[in-house]
Amino acid sequence: MTDSKTLAYINMYAVLGTLENLCELDENARALLKNKKPVSIGLEVKDGPAATLMFKNGYCRMEDGCRSDCTIKIPFSSCEKFNGMIDGTVTPVPTKGLMHIGFLLKSFIPLTDLLSKYMRPDPKDLEDRAFFEMSTTLMFYTIAVAIAQIGNNDAIGKFSADHIVDGDILMSIGDKISATIRCKNHRLITIKKDMGTPRSLMKFCDMDLARALFDGKVNAVACIGEGTIIMGGMISMIDNVNRILDRVALYLA
Amino acid sequence: MAIKINDYTKSREWFSRATKVIPSGVYGHLGPAEGNFMPVTSFPLMGDRAQGTYFWDVDGNRFIDYMCAYGPNVLGYNDPDVDAAAIEQLKKGNCMTSPSYKMVEFAELMVDTVNCADWAFFAKNGNDVTTAAIMTARNATHRKKIVFVNGFYHGVSPWTQKIDYPGVIPEDVANNLYIDWNDFDQLQQVFDDNKGEIAAFISTPYMHGNYLDNSLPADGYWKKVRELCTANGTVLIIDDVRAGFRLDIAGSDHFYGFEADLICFCKALANGYNVSCLCGKDFLKGAVSGLSYTGSYWMSAMPFAAGIACVNKMKQLDIPTMFREKGLKLTNGLKEAAANNGFNLVVSGEPALFYLRIADDDSLFIHQDWIQECVKRGVFFAGHHNHFINAALTDEDINFTLEVADEAFKAIRPKY
């Protein structure tokens, strides 16, 4: 009940897009980019997503679309091939920027490995509180972006998005970590911060609760009763986002 | 003098115990998630007892109950006439190998009472009879497709749910078609596009869906729908589970001037005793007879006895007229209280099942804030569901409600 095109959009914007947050929040990630010239990697998937990852001064930013002036360009002939790169079964072949292959090997791949370490953590690593919080934060951003991609691309997700009215849905862990899912004409976009005027909100009380939810150890309905998830505003928006959220696990499992 | 603010310590304790042994503590519409308890700390979670128009929670807080157990409380909790009939029958026999003759008496009463009814088929919950109606329509027409009105709620079986609901697979809803409420042209188009394939059109008598202002049928809407269904050999099903008897003792189709082929009743049918009823026209009697569809408790006699007493008393009291008057008195007062405090309270739907929304923002945050301030003071309103009037509601109760509403508006005014 999943499709490779939706998965490609999730892998592009939700998974690789989380490199932005990784570089911002993790010193080890920034160290991998230290003293490096600015590099941009254009990723273009036939019949699928296209984006450019730009690395500069230790930070990363993702821009929609494959920029013509990107330093390195990696095209993919299908969504399946691109998804294969993400799960490690397909080796990417750049068509531009071969002289920057060193960046790919020495910076980009270690960065994605670091991201994987947080996204698919060893249970032992989670015993370290700092690691736990970093991992949970990055998962939060990944999930928030994945919601928009599923709402825009997955057949059942689109059904849910068709029932969401225009406006901003604020998702947050406590008061510190926030993302806004903006709906306009049933298309969703995730902005990785609180935009200030939500029409509805869903707040996870703390990191531990958020983690337990992400890991499927607790159920959102039960948490609402216990008061560890707070919702408010236009509840039909939250209701439909939750239906999409149910599908996130199918794709990110 | 300020009205007492409720404390829910014991409610929380019981809920905590519940979460250990019951999925999500309280699941479904009575639970804090589906019930939209925002914030959950302002609402009672476990009840202790009920009488008339009130219920008391485990902390001893009393509530004027405008949800009426989501509809079943129509005469007042513990109505003496209904309870006496039920208890008498319980002593005689309830769940037996041969069904009690009370079932026949109840069916005769339903046929005499409900305008479109030539027969009555009993079950337990609203979902049982909406499902029976769909199966009957498919059996009678040998067609698959069903037309629904967007925003519908017809129960919890997979066919009533949507493709994105947990536990529902695409095949469960593959034959469901959707139109907007009151849009006859859309319905006509769907019929044209699916000529000879539509088994049934199912709808509530007016749009009393959740999360949106309720909407009455446009002039001539039901007449045109009736004609379209007849011309196409499609069964017209009215889901009167929620509104049934509160608008018209003869059925809400009668109230709006048309005749359904099948009509589903539950909530108000027996004042809280568990029975539901599908009524229909003679030409569908064979089709419903052929269904393989039953349940262990569907022919229990006690709810039949309660139902007979309840229907007779609803007739005697002229419940529809009473509820309209009480509903108007209450909602006009609420609108006035809102206006006096600078808020715009929109009341929609029929007065007997009024729906409330504060329209001063487009997010409903103000509305939710006001609702919880009312609940904390002992008036149980729901955030995003229609409400229900019951016969035990007095003028004194309405006046107290208006007092609470005013104080709740004053409590939230500084924030907005």
Side-chain angles (χ1 to χ4, degrees):
Chain A
M1 300 223 278
T2 60
D3 69 85
S4 56
K5 185 173 179 181
T6 302
L7 181 58
Y9 276 88
I10 291 170
N11 280 332
M12 182 69 86
Y13 298 107
V15 176
L16 291 182
T18 303
L19 288 172
E20 294 178 325
N21 309 95
L22 178 72
C23 294
E24 183 191 342
L25 299 171
D26 187 295
E27 285 176 15
N28 294 325
R30 277 203 301 282
L32 287 166
L33 302 169
K34 205 174 174 186
N35 302 324
K36 297 279 190 327
K37 285 182 183 170
V39 171
S40 56
I41 305 174
L43 301 160
E44 193 169 59
V45 183
K46 190 181 177 195
D47 299 324
T52 306
L53 282 164
M54 291 176 289
F55 299 92
K56 189 177 177 184
N57 299 330
Y59 288 91
C60 170
R61 189 165 65 83
M62 177 176 262
E63 195 176 288
D64 199 17
C66 181
R67 285 177 65 122
S68 58
D69 62 351
C70 62
T71 324
I72 303 167
K73 181 174 179 180
I74 311 175
F76 296 87
S77 58
S78 68
C79 290
E80 288 80 2
K81 295 276 189 207
F82 175 66
N83 295 334
M85 180 193 78
I86 298 295
D87 66 23
T89 57
V90 169
T91 304
V93 182
T95 56
K96 177 184 172 188
L98 289 173
M99 66 174 62
H100 297 281
I101 202 81
F103 180 84
L104 281 179
L105 296 174
K106 291 177 187 164
S107 299
F108 184 67
I109 290 175
L111 261 184
T112 55
D113 287 346
L114 185 57
L115 183 63
S116 296
K117 199 177 162 206
Y118 284 120
M119 300 300 286
R120 297 183 187 280
D122 185 316
K124 257 192 126 26
D125 289 339
L126 289 171
E127 290 170 14
D128 176 72
R129 189 68 194 176
F131 182 94
F132 172 89
E133 292 197 356
M134 177 69 76
S135 170
T136 305
T137 302
L138 295 176
M139 279 182 81
F140 171 82
Y141 289 124
T142 303
I143 288 168
V145 177
I147 286 170
Q149 299 310 319
I150 291 171
N152 293 340
N153 295 290
D154 173 80
I156 294 174
K158 281 198 269 192
F159 182 91
S160 305
D162 279 347
H163 291 81
I164 301 177
V165 295
D166 286 359
D168 286 356
I169 302 150
L170 174 64
M171 284 175 66
S172 69
I173 302 176
D175 294 324
K176 290 179 187 165
I177 299 161
S178 305
T180 299
I181 297 167
R182 178 164 289 172
C183 180
K184 190 167 185 190
N185 296 326
H186 310 294
R187 293 281 298 175
L188 307 179
I189 185 168
T190 300
I191 306 154
K192 294 187 228 179
K193 62 178 180 179
D194 180 354
M195 297 302 285
T197 52
R199 202 171 176 194
S200 61
L201 62 84
M202 178 165 55
K203 185 172 173 178
F204 311 132
C205 69
D206 57 32
M207 285 276 180
D208 297 281
L209 184 275
R211 183 86 210 183
L213 261 177
F214 300 161
D215 290 348
K217 289 178 181 164
V218 293
N219 176 272
V221 173
C223 293
I224 289 167
E226 287 165 353
T228 50
I229 293 181
I230 293 165
M231 58 177 186
M234 189 63 79
I235 296 304
S236 61
M237 299 173 91
I238 300 287
D239 197 26
N240 284 292
V241 162
N242 270 328
R243 297 192 194 293
I244 299 174
L245 191 54
D246 281 345
R247 298 191 66 70
V248 170
L250 286 178
Y251 283 99
L252 290 179
Chain B
M1 194 177 78
I3 296 159
K4 176 183 85 79
I5 302 293
N6 291 335
D7 174 80
Y8 297 118
T9 305
K10 287 183 182 166
S11 250
R12 299 276 355 144
E13 287 169 4
W14 274 105
F15 190 80
S16 180
R17 282 174 65 176
T19 57
K20 292 180 175 68
V21 289
I22 299 169
S24 74
V26 182
Y27 48 82
H29 60 299
L30 300 186
E34 272 193 40
N36 292 313
F37 294 178
M38 290 174 288
V40 69
T41 49
S42 294
F43 288 76
L45 298 168
M46 290 286 163
D48 181 44
R49 63 194 171 95
Q51 180 64 47
T53 197
Y54 314 117
F55 77 89
W56 286 261
D57 68 5
V58 286
D59 287 281
N61 302 307
R62 189 199 79 168
F63 297 87
I64 297 180
D65 183 5
Y66 288 104
M67 290 313 293
C68 295
Y70 280 73
N73 179 28
V74 64
L75 296 174
Y77 291 115
N78 303 335
D79 178 81
D81 298 320
V82 175
D83 285 2
I87 290 164
E88 185 185 343
Q89 184 59 44
L90 182 65
K91 287 176 183 166
K92 284 181 73 179
N94 181 33
C95 187
M96 305 183 288
T97 300
S98 277
S100 164
Y101 64 90
K102 284 287 170 189
M103 180 169 76
V104 185
E105 289 183 354
F106 196 19
E108 287 170 348
L109 178 62
M110 291 300 287
V111 169
D112 287 345
T113 303
V114 175
N115 180 59
C116 70
D118 292 320
W119 49 264
F121 176 103
F122 298 107
K124 281 290 150 214
N125 287 295
N127 182 80
D128 298 334
V129 287
T130 54
T131 299
I134 294 297
M135 291 173 72
T136 301
R138 284 179 167 153
N139 188 29
T141 62
H142 302 290
R143 300 172 181 173
K144 293 181 183 176
K145 295 183 179 176
I146 309 292
V147 182
F148 295 76
V149 175
N150 286 321
F152 67 90
Y153 176 83
H154 297 302
V156 292
S157 289
W159 69 267
T160 69
Q161 303 209 21
K162 300 187 181 81
I163 197 168
D164 58 344
Y165 280 33
V168 174
I169 57 174
E171 289 82 353
D172 288 329
V173 293
N175 292 297
N176 294 2
L177 306 168
Y178 307 102
I179 62 156
D180 292 328
W181 167 246
N182 257 342
D183 192 334
F184 178 76
D185 291 343
Q186 250 189 55
L187 183 64
Q188 173 79 65
Q189 189 63 52
V190 165
F191 270 66
D192 290 347
D193 293 345
N194 297 274
K195 202 87 186 155
E197 293 184 287
I198 299 174
F201 173 51
I202 185 168
S203 173
T204 51
Y206 73 95
M207 175 42 71
H208 49 55
N210 305 336
Y211 303 110
L212 75 172
D213 290 350
N214 290 182
S215 172
L216 304 183
D219 281 349
Y221 173 76
W222 278 120
K223 182 173 182 290
K224 287 190 285 186
V225 171
R226 175 67 273 180
E227 288 168 0
L228 184 69
C229 288
T230 302
N232 285 272
T234 294
V235 176
L236 175 54
I237 302 168
I238 289 300
D239 177 349
D240 216 9
V241 167
R242 204 181 289 188
F245 307 112
R246 281 185 157 89
L247 306 186
D248 189 327
I249 291 290
S252 299
D253 57 342
H254 184 253
F255 182 74
Y256 289 119
F258 70 102
E259 275 193 21
D261 295 321
L262 294 171
I263 188 163
C264 310
F265 297 105
C266 183
K267 296 184 182 297
L269 187 55
N271 207 49
Y273 289 88
N274 50 345
V275 62
S276 59
C277 181
L278 175 67
C279 290
K281 289 190 175 170
D282 197 48
F283 78 94
L284 292 166
K285 197 173 173 185
V288 73
S289 299
L291 300 183
S292 179
Y293 197 62
T294 185
S296 297
Y297 303 100
W298 286 13
M299 293 186 189
S300 294
M302 184 172 75
F304 294 149
I308 291 167
C310 183
V311 170
N312 283 330
K313 192 161 181 180
M314 286 193 291
K315 285 183 184 176
Q316 180 200 326
L317 293 175
D318 186 8
I319 285 291
T321 304
M322 178 199 284
F323 284 9
R324 186 170 192 84
E325 287 169 3
K326 286 180 190 289
L328 283 171
K329 184 167 189 176
L330 173 71
T331 53
N332 287 337
L334 291 173
K335 281 192 282 192
E336 192 182 332
N340 289 343
N341 287 282
F343 290 103
N344 175 21
L345 179 68
V346 174
V347 178
S348 59
E350 294 288 355
L353 299 100
F354 61 96
Y355 186 90
L356 302 176
R357 177 176 65 91
I358 294 176
D360 295 275
D361 64 357
D362 72 349
S363 65
L364 302 173
F365 283 116
I366 299 175
H367 179 74
Q368 288 156 7
D369 207 1
W370 177 68
I371 291 286
Q372 62 103 16
E373 291 291 350
C374 289
V375 174
K376 277 158 61 180
R377 289 166 171 81
V379 169
F380 199 98
F381 286 140
H384 307 294
H385 194 286
N386 73 273
H387 298 84
F388 298 90
I389 299 290
N390 73 83
L393 183 73
T394 64
D395 282 353
E396 195 182 334
D397 297 320
I398 291 174
N399 290 337
F400 178 71
T401 301
L402 299 179
E403 206 181 314
V404 165
D406 180 69
E407 192 173 298
F409 280 123
K410 285 183 168 52
I412 64 169
R413 182 75 274 178
K415 290 191 234 175
Y416 305 103

